[in-house]
Structure formats: C-alpha cells, structure tokens
Amino acid sequence: MRWRGRVAALFTVVAVVAGGATGSPAQASEDQGVVSGSGFYKDDWSDEGVVSTTSHSRSNLAVMWQAVLWADKSLKPDGHPMSLADIDCVFGTRTEYTTKRWQRRYASAGLVADGIVGPKTLGYAARKLDEGGGNRYVYLGLTADFESTGRYVTFVRSGEGVWSMYLGSDLRPVYYNRATFDACS
C-alpha cells in the first residue's frame, strides 16, 4: 500500500497499516504474530498480548510501545524524556523503568506500575487515540500534566485488522516475535 499523508518530521514517529484485500477484521491473538484487532478502535488494543523484559522483549511490538513513550515524552532513568534514539527495538531495563513511570502517571485509571505492558496498559494507551479520517488514528502525546507534547504517532488499521508502523521511512508490521525495523539491526 502506498502511504499518503504528511511526511514524517524529524521528530515524529508515524505508524501506518500495510494494506491488502479487505475482509473481516481479525480478533487479536499473539498466535497471529502481529498486532491486530477489530471493533471500536479505542478498545482495539485491550486484548493484545504482553511486551516486557521477559516477553516479546526484542520485537516490533517493543518499538510500538517505545514510540508511545516517546510521544508522551516519558522520562527515562536519567530524568530526560525519551528521544527517537531511544527507540531501539529492545524492551530492556530502561524501557521497563520508563514504562513504570508512565503507568504511575495513570494509576488513577487502575494501572499498576509493574513495567509490564499488557492488555490493560495497551488498552489505556489506545484511549488516547483520535480519529484521523478513514482507517487512520493518531496517538497524541501528553505530558504528566496532560499538556500536548507536540509529538504523535499515527496508526491506520487495515481492513483485516492488521497494524503496521512507520519509523521514519521504514514501514513494518507490528510483530510480536520479530524485530524487523532498520533501527533493530
């Protein structure tokens, strides 16, 4: 599928879904090996699998989560916000720490700061998606004070429910068990 839209700015991560024939949207399943979903888009990620230091830790799913942390300018252990250089395809101890801080920020929504990104954490993140027209949705980055960070991640869900992501000009499906972005090499 040819991506049409704004060119990703230097400090912008853009995600799009690879196209294909249209059909019934798929239900999410780690067994499919890719992030997928159907139904209302804000509920879509609430049935996905887990990414953590011990589960799918080197994967395109780890990249997707790191992009969410980047968009929110989530703070790393050194106190600085995530940068594009921190998106490295590895859910290691730095991403775990940053995830815990992100989860603490939303503790009032029932998130537990355990550093594990599962259905509840992903589902809460999906609540920050806005419609962008057609099958396009935009994750709008917010600070801890709920102010716009000016960063965003754009997603598009295919007719089959499969999600892919652009990292710069590198388009890849959001795989559970593969790290295929150029940044992963």
Side-chain angles (χ1 to χ4, degrees):
M1 173 174 115
R2 185 180 152 150
W3 180 60
R4 296 179 190 158
R6 293 180 277 192
V7 176
L10 178 60
F11 297 107
T12 303
V13 176
V14 180
V16 244
V17 169
T22 58
S24 299
Q27 295 298 318
S29 169
E30 285 184 67
D31 295 338
Q32 293 173 302
V34 66
V35 172
S36 61
S38 63
F40 185 54
Y41 69 95
K42 289 191 182 225
D43 296 332
D44 198 36
W45 296 348
S46 61
D47 58 355
E48 290 297 336
V50 171
V51 62
S52 68
T53 58
T54 60
S55 184
H56 310 297
S57 61
R58 181 167 165 73
S59 67
N60 289 358
L61 179 59
V63 173
M64 182 182 117
W65 181 250
Q66 289 175 329
V68 165
L69 295 173
W70 168 83
D72 285 342
K73 289 189 177 179
S74 297
L75 299 178
K76 303 178 296 187
D78 65 7
H80 292 98
M82 290 275 292
S83 71
L84 287 176
D86 294 314
I87 300 175
D88 63 2
C89 313
V90 178
F91 194 112
T93 56
R94 182 180 55 211
T95 302
E96 179 184 44
Y97 175 90
T98 307
T99 298
K100 286 178 182 179
R101 288 186 69 128
W102 190 93
Q103 290 168 324
R104 271 193 290 283
R105 181 188 309 175
Y106 302 111
S108 64
L111 295 185
V112 176
D114 59 6
I116 298 170
V117 180
K120 195 166 191 174
T121 297
L122 284 170
Y124 190 80
R127 292 175 57 187
K128 293 169 61 176
L129 291 169
D130 277 339
E131 293 186 68
N135 288 343
R136 194 171 295 239
Y137 308 99
V138 179
Y139 180 90
L140 302 171
L142 298 174
T143 67
D145 297 324
F146 298 97
E147 299 291 327
S148 173
T149 65
R151 297 177 178 184
Y152 62 89
V153 183
T154 303
F155 292 92
V156 178
R157 187 176 67 188
S158 75
E160 296 82 25
V162 175
W163 296 74
S164 293
M165 182 176 152
Y166 250 124
L167 185 58
S169 62
D170 191 14
L171 175 66
R172 307 293 172 148
V174 182
Y175 294 118
Y176 276 95
N177 295 314
R178 292 190 280 171
T180 62
F181 283 96
D182 291 341
C184 302
S185 22

